[in-house]
Amino acid sequence: MLRAFSIIAAAAAALPVAAAPIYFPHERLGVGDPNPYFEYGTYSVFYLQNKGRHPWYVTRTNDLLTWSPPVEAIPVGEPEDADHWTGSGSVVSDPEGGYRLFHTGHRPEAQPKEVTMTAIAPELTGPWTKAPGAAFSGAPIYDTMDFRDPFVFWNADAERWWMLLTTRHFGAAAIGLYTSRDLAHWSPAQPLYTEQSPLNLEVPDLFPEGGDWFLLYSDQRASVRQVRYLHAADSQGPYEYGLHDALDGSAYYAGKSAGQGDDRLLFGRIAHKSHRKDAMDFVWGGDLIVHALRRTADGELAVALPAQIASQFDTAVASPSPSDLSLGDARHAVRAWAEVAPAEGGAFGIRFQHEGAARSSSIIIDPSTGRAAFRYNEDGTDGPSVSFPIDPDGRFTIDIVVDPEAGLGILYINDFRALSFRYYRVGRTQMSLFAESGFKEVSGVVSKRRSDLAREGQNG
């Protein structure tokens, strides 16, 4: 039996200027790889702008609600410079004063093609001054073609500064390692992790939490193009994958964390599609999206909706009855939360029905396989997908945020895994929960974005 209840009905009308996207509203060109830095309660998010040869920009926030206007931090170089293109990296506070920014220099026709470069500044807001004399390549033990994304942090256990890099080690995909006592002189060490892969383990991130070490990277391979992680009891490793090592699906990429404990957030991007068309393939760059990142009691990593994002919504409907859970016109950003128990463990999910058309798209959650997938236009082809552990009692908590202005959505499953999806036409659909064999139990809350409610009240 197919049983559904209406959660969202969204109209085609454009949002007013005051109802900006719920995440980062300032970058229309597209955010490339984010490189966040957390200090004194503020997240400084440096990112590659999807423009030209990817200059570095920076924006700052302490609540994920208000963001400073982005400013350029590191411009690209001239054709003869090692940073004719710039790539990802990281920022650290220098014990001697000021800050250091480490970034990739990329010159396609050069040898070496990629180098690690440094810039310095008295404040996070700049001005940043490049130090071209500090650049170095991966020779002799690492690759000179793939040698990028320097991630630097102070490793108190090793009593050294560590720099992780995306590179290759004797042909194997590697997360390389360099060490330093002073942030200026770097010595190569054996790679932190290697595997046989035709591509690369991009934008690495390493941090301790709750007695464990977690190594994040974004997998460049098409079959597993996801933000993944490994864990170890010691920073030196060995690092091992967990059973559900991907934190999100293939629409979300280049995730790096900042903060610690309850303040740790994962900053990544939901990719745009070619020509901004739903039926096209993903391209480089997208919208900056933030997950709350935490260590679970059993030593896994989990992602959930950040409390700061959730605070943008006011409860509009709450009911234990599926038939009563409706918002009517909800063309603005909406959050829906529900606890469900599908009958007989059957597949269930969320359907997006196009207005005035027979076609629909959906998220399919299959308890029998422990997998959730987004399916565009019900054409039989799964888009982004993610795996999750099966709850023995057959219950699920789903928490979804849909942003019609940005043309995207994010589903959180059991506050453990996320499934991000790009859907430019989502604002022209009605969203409903369905189950192939019906539900044994269902209850939910639907919330409308607070700023939209306020604006509707003003317009009377």
PDB file of all heavy atoms in Angstrom, residues 51-69:
ATOM      1  N   LYS A  51      36.051  31.313 -10.340  1.00  0.00           N
ATOM      2  CA  LYS A  51      36.233  32.411 -11.278  1.00  0.00           C
ATOM      3  C   LYS A  51      37.663  32.349 -11.796  1.00  0.00           C
ATOM      4  O   LYS A  51      38.607  32.235 -11.015  1.00  0.00           O
ATOM      5  CB  LYS A  51      35.993  33.753 -10.589  1.00  0.00           C
ATOM      6  CG  LYS A  51      36.364  34.983 -11.413  1.00  0.00           C
ATOM      7  CD  LYS A  51      36.252  36.243 -10.571  1.00  0.00           C
ATOM      8  CE  LYS A  51      36.722  37.464 -11.348  1.00  0.00           C
ATOM      9  NZ  LYS A  51      36.658  38.700 -10.523  1.00  0.00           N
ATOM     10  N   GLY A  52      37.834  32.417 -13.102  1.00  0.00           N
ATOM     11  CA  GLY A  52      39.172  32.453 -13.664  1.00  0.00           C
ATOM     12  C   GLY A  52      40.024  31.302 -13.179  1.00  0.00           C
ATOM     13  O   GLY A  52      39.681  30.138 -13.334  1.00  0.00           O
ATOM     14  N   ARG A  53      41.129  31.618 -12.516  1.00  0.00           N
ATOM     15  CA  ARG A  53      42.088  30.604 -12.072  1.00  0.00           C
ATOM     16  C   ARG A  53      42.014  30.392 -10.550  1.00  0.00           C
ATOM     17  O   ARG A  53      42.985  30.051  -9.918  1.00  0.00           O
ATOM     18  CB  ARG A  53      43.488  30.998 -12.527  1.00  0.00           C
ATOM     19  CG  ARG A  53      43.583  31.141 -14.055  1.00  0.00           C
ATOM     20  CD  ARG A  53      45.004  31.357 -14.550  1.00  0.00           C
ATOM     21  NE  ARG A  53      45.655  32.503 -13.948  1.00  0.00           N
ATOM     22  CZ  ARG A  53      45.481  33.768 -14.317  1.00  0.00           C
ATOM     23  NH1 ARG A  53      44.616  34.069 -15.274  1.00  0.00           N
ATOM     24  NH2 ARG A  53      46.136  34.761 -13.731  1.00  0.00           N
ATOM     25  N   HIS A  54      40.854  30.648  -9.996  1.00  0.00           N
ATOM     26  CA  HIS A  54      40.501  30.294  -8.608  1.00  0.00           C
ATOM     27  C   HIS A  54      41.272  31.078  -7.546  1.00  0.00           C
ATOM     28  O   HIS A  54      41.982  30.505  -6.716  1.00  0.00           O
ATOM     29  CB  HIS A  54      40.682  28.800  -8.367  1.00  0.00           C
ATOM     30  CG  HIS A  54      39.933  27.936  -9.318  1.00  0.00           C
ATOM     31  ND1 HIS A  54      40.241  26.615  -9.554  1.00  0.00           N
ATOM     32  CD2 HIS A  54      38.864  28.214 -10.118  1.00  0.00           C
ATOM     33  CE1 HIS A  54      39.414  26.117 -10.455  1.00  0.00           C
ATOM     34  NE2 HIS A  54      38.564  27.066 -10.813  1.00  0.00           N
ATOM     35  N   PRO A  55      41.128  32.391  -7.510  1.00  0.00           N
ATOM     36  CA  PRO A  55      41.726  33.155  -6.398  1.00  0.00           C
ATOM     37  C   PRO A  55      41.078  32.765  -5.076  1.00  0.00           C
ATOM     38  O   PRO A  55      39.964  32.265  -5.017  1.00  0.00           O
ATOM     39  CB  PRO A  55      41.409  34.611  -6.767  1.00  0.00           C
ATOM     40  CG  PRO A  55      40.173  34.512  -7.619  1.00  0.00           C
ATOM     41  CD  PRO A  55      40.319  33.248  -8.403  1.00  0.00           C
ATOM     42  N   TRP A  56      41.810  33.024  -3.989  1.00  0.00           N
ATOM     43  CA  TRP A  56      41.297  32.770  -2.636  1.00  0.00           C
ATOM     44  C   TRP A  56      40.474  33.972  -2.172  1.00  0.00           C
ATOM     45  O   TRP A  56      40.899  35.124  -2.277  1.00  0.00           O
ATOM     46  CB  TRP A  56      42.452  32.575  -1.653  1.00  0.00           C
ATOM     47  CG  TRP A  56      43.027  31.206  -1.593  1.00  0.00           C
ATOM     48  CD1 TRP A  56      43.515  30.471  -2.628  1.00  0.00           C
ATOM     49  CD2 TRP A  56      43.205  30.412  -0.412  1.00  0.00           C
ATOM     50  NE1 TRP A  56      43.994  29.264  -2.181  1.00  0.00           N
ATOM     51  CE2 TRP A  56      43.807  29.204  -0.827  1.00  0.00           C
ATOM     52  CE3 TRP A  56      42.924  30.598   0.929  1.00  0.00           C
ATOM     53  CZ2 TRP A  56      44.133  28.188   0.074  1.00  0.00           C
ATOM     54  CZ3 TRP A  56      43.248  29.589   1.823  1.00  0.00           C
ATOM     55  CH2 TRP A  56      43.837  28.395   1.398  1.00  0.00           C
ATOM     56  N   TYR A  57      39.317  33.671  -1.604  1.00  0.00           N
ATOM     57  CA  TYR A  57      38.484  34.687  -0.938  1.00  0.00           C
ATOM     58  C   TYR A  57      38.252  34.244   0.504  1.00  0.00           C
ATOM     59  O   TYR A  57      38.479  33.085   0.850  1.00  0.00           O
ATOM     60  CB  TYR A  57      37.154  34.870  -1.669  1.00  0.00           C
ATOM     61  CG  TYR A  57      37.224  35.873  -2.798  1.00  0.00           C
ATOM     62  CD1 TYR A  57      38.000  35.617  -3.922  1.00  0.00           C
ATOM     63  CD2 TYR A  57      36.539  37.082  -2.741  1.00  0.00           C
ATOM     64  CE1 TYR A  57      38.090  36.537  -4.955  1.00  0.00           C
ATOM     65  CE2 TYR A  57      36.619  38.016  -3.764  1.00  0.00           C
ATOM     66  CZ  TYR A  57      37.396  37.737  -4.869  1.00  0.00           C
ATOM     67  OH  TYR A  57      37.483  38.661  -5.885  1.00  0.00           O
ATOM     68  N   VAL A  58      37.782  35.175   1.330  1.00  0.00           N
ATOM     69  CA  VAL A  58      37.499  34.829   2.727  1.00  0.00           C
ATOM     70  C   VAL A  58      36.233  35.542   3.184  1.00  0.00           C
ATOM     71  O   VAL A  58      35.975  36.692   2.816  1.00  0.00           O
ATOM     72  CB  VAL A  58      38.683  35.185   3.652  1.00  0.00           C
ATOM     73  CG1 VAL A  58      38.988  36.681   3.621  1.00  0.00           C
ATOM     74  CG2 VAL A  58      38.411  34.716   5.082  1.00  0.00           C
ATOM     75  N   THR A  59      35.424  34.838   3.950  1.00  0.00           N
ATOM     76  CA  THR A  59      34.260  35.385   4.618  1.00  0.00           C
ATOM     77  C   THR A  59      34.275  34.878   6.049  1.00  0.00           C
ATOM     78  O   THR A  59      34.877  33.844   6.334  1.00  0.00           O
ATOM     79  CB  THR A  59      32.959  34.964   3.904  1.00  0.00           C
ATOM     80  OG1 THR A  59      31.829  35.517   4.607  1.00  0.00           O
ATOM     81  CG2 THR A  59      32.799  33.448   3.908  1.00  0.00           C
ATOM     82  N   ARG A  60      33.590  35.584   6.975  1.00  0.00           N
ATOM     83  CA  ARG A  60      33.645  35.213   8.388  1.00  0.00           C
ATOM     84  C   ARG A  60      32.234  35.178   8.970  1.00  0.00           C
ATOM     85  O   ARG A  60      31.359  35.962   8.584  1.00  0.00           O
ATOM     86  CB  ARG A  60      34.517  36.193   9.169  1.00  0.00           C
ATOM     87  CG  ARG A  60      35.902  36.405   8.565  1.00  0.00           C
ATOM     88  CD  ARG A  60      36.739  37.340   9.411  1.00  0.00           C
ATOM     89  NE  ARG A  60      37.220  36.664  10.606  1.00  0.00           N
ATOM     90  CZ  ARG A  60      37.695  37.285  11.682  1.00  0.00           C
ATOM     91  NH1 ARG A  60      37.714  38.610  11.725  1.00  0.00           N
ATOM     92  NH2 ARG A  60      38.139  36.601  12.716  1.00  0.00           N
ATOM     93  N   THR A  61      32.035  34.258   9.926  1.00  0.00           N
ATOM     94  CA  THR A  61      30.755  34.155  10.609  1.00  0.00           C
ATOM     95  C   THR A  61      30.964  33.580  11.997  1.00  0.00           C
ATOM     96  O   THR A  61      31.900  32.802  12.217  1.00  0.00           O
ATOM     97  CB  THR A  61      29.773  33.253   9.817  1.00  0.00           C
ATOM     98  OG1 THR A  61      28.506  33.221  10.494  1.00  0.00           O
ATOM     99  CG2 THR A  61      30.300  31.832   9.711  1.00  0.00           C
ATOM    100  N   ASN A  62      30.123  33.968  12.930  1.00  0.00           N
ATOM    101  CA  ASN A  62      30.154  33.330  14.254  1.00  0.00           C
ATOM    102  C   ASN A  62      28.840  32.650  14.586  1.00  0.00           C
ATOM    103  O   ASN A  62      28.684  32.103  15.680  1.00  0.00           O
ATOM    104  CB  ASN A  62      30.513  34.343  15.351  1.00  0.00           C
ATOM    105  CG  ASN A  62      29.574  35.526  15.403  1.00  0.00           C
ATOM    106  OD1 ASN A  62      28.486  35.508  14.846  1.00  0.00           O
ATOM    107  ND2 ASN A  62      30.010  36.590  16.074  1.00  0.00           N
ATOM    108  N   ASP A  63      27.888  32.672  13.623  1.00  0.00           N
ATOM    109  CA  ASP A  63      26.587  32.065  13.902  1.00  0.00           C
ATOM    110  C   ASP A  63      25.977  31.330  12.707  1.00  0.00           C
ATOM    111  O   ASP A  63      24.868  30.791  12.822  1.00  0.00           O
ATOM    112  CB  ASP A  63      25.601  33.131  14.403  1.00  0.00           C
ATOM    113  CG  ASP A  63      25.404  34.268  13.412  1.00  0.00           C
ATOM    114  OD1 ASP A  63      25.910  34.182  12.266  1.00  0.00           O
ATOM    115  OD2 ASP A  63      24.735  35.258  13.781  1.00  0.00           O
ATOM    116  N   LEU A  64      26.648  31.294  11.577  1.00  0.00           N
ATOM    117  CA  LEU A  64      26.167  30.683  10.332  1.00  0.00           C
ATOM    118  C   LEU A  64      24.938  31.393   9.775  1.00  0.00           C
ATOM    119  O   LEU A  64      24.347  30.937   8.792  1.00  0.00           O
ATOM    120  CB  LEU A  64      25.846  29.195  10.506  1.00  0.00           C
ATOM    121  CG  LEU A  64      26.989  28.286  10.976  1.00  0.00           C
ATOM    122  CD1 LEU A  64      26.531  26.824  10.962  1.00  0.00           C
ATOM    123  CD2 LEU A  64      28.233  28.462  10.120  1.00  0.00           C
ATOM    124  N   LEU A  65      24.553  32.498  10.379  1.00  0.00           N
ATOM    125  CA  LEU A  65      23.388  33.251   9.923  1.00  0.00           C
ATOM    126  C   LEU A  65      23.802  34.524   9.199  1.00  0.00           C
ATOM    127  O   LEU A  65      23.195  34.910   8.205  1.00  0.00           O
ATOM    128  CB  LEU A  65      22.476  33.609  11.101  1.00  0.00           C
ATOM    129  CG  LEU A  65      22.040  32.455  12.005  1.00  0.00           C
ATOM    130  CD1 LEU A  65      21.146  32.968  13.124  1.00  0.00           C
ATOM    131  CD2 LEU A  65      21.324  31.392  11.209  1.00  0.00           C
ATOM    132  N   THR A  66      24.813  35.184   9.734  1.00  0.00           N
ATOM    133  CA  THR A  66      25.343  36.399   9.123  1.00  0.00           C
ATOM    134  C   THR A  66      26.781  36.148   8.712  1.00  0.00           C
ATOM    135  O   THR A  66      27.565  35.561   9.459  1.00  0.00           O
ATOM    136  CB  THR A  66      25.271  37.579  10.095  1.00  0.00           C
ATOM    137  OG1 THR A  66      25.965  37.231  11.309  1.00  0.00           O
ATOM    138  CG2 THR A  66      23.833  37.918  10.426  1.00  0.00           C
ATOM    139  N   TRP A  67      27.110  36.602   7.501  1.00  0.00           N
ATOM    140  CA  TRP A  67      28.441  36.381   6.925  1.00  0.00           C
ATOM    141  C   TRP A  67      29.006  37.731   6.473  1.00  0.00           C
ATOM    142  O   TRP A  67      28.281  38.558   5.911  1.00  0.00           O
ATOM    143  CB  TRP A  67      28.374  35.448   5.731  1.00  0.00           C
ATOM    144  CG  TRP A  67      27.825  34.089   6.018  1.00  0.00           C
ATOM    145  CD1 TRP A  67      26.501  33.746   6.188  1.00  0.00           C
ATOM    146  CD2 TRP A  67      28.563  32.881   6.159  1.00  0.00           C
ATOM    147  NE1 TRP A  67      26.383  32.402   6.431  1.00  0.00           N
ATOM    148  CE2 TRP A  67      27.638  31.845   6.409  1.00  0.00           C
ATOM    149  CE3 TRP A  67      29.920  32.565   6.094  1.00  0.00           C
ATOM    150  CZ2 TRP A  67      28.018  30.517   6.600  1.00  0.00           C
ATOM    151  CZ3 TRP A  67      30.307  31.253   6.271  1.00  0.00           C
ATOM    152  CH2 TRP A  67      29.373  30.243   6.526  1.00  0.00           C
ATOM    153  N   SER A  68      30.282  37.928   6.703  1.00  0.00           N
ATOM    154  CA  SER A  68      30.903  39.151   6.219  1.00  0.00           C
ATOM    155  C   SER A  68      31.011  39.102   4.695  1.00  0.00           C
ATOM    156  O   SER A  68      31.138  38.024   4.110  1.00  0.00           O
ATOM    157  CB  SER A  68      32.294  39.321   6.832  1.00  0.00           C
ATOM    158  OG  SER A  68      33.173  38.302   6.379  1.00  0.00           O
ATOM    159  N   PRO A  69      30.947  40.256   4.036  1.00  0.00           N
ATOM    160  CA  PRO A  69      31.123  40.265   2.580  1.00  0.00           C
ATOM    161  C   PRO A  69      32.479  39.664   2.220  1.00  0.00           C
ATOM    162  O   PRO A  69      33.498  40.015   2.820  1.00  0.00           O
ATOM    163  CB  PRO A  69      31.054  41.750   2.224  1.00  0.00           C
ATOM    164  CG  PRO A  69      30.281  42.371   3.340  1.00  0.00           C
ATOM    165  CD  PRO A  69      30.668  41.593   4.566  1.00  0.00           C
TER     166      PRO A  69
END
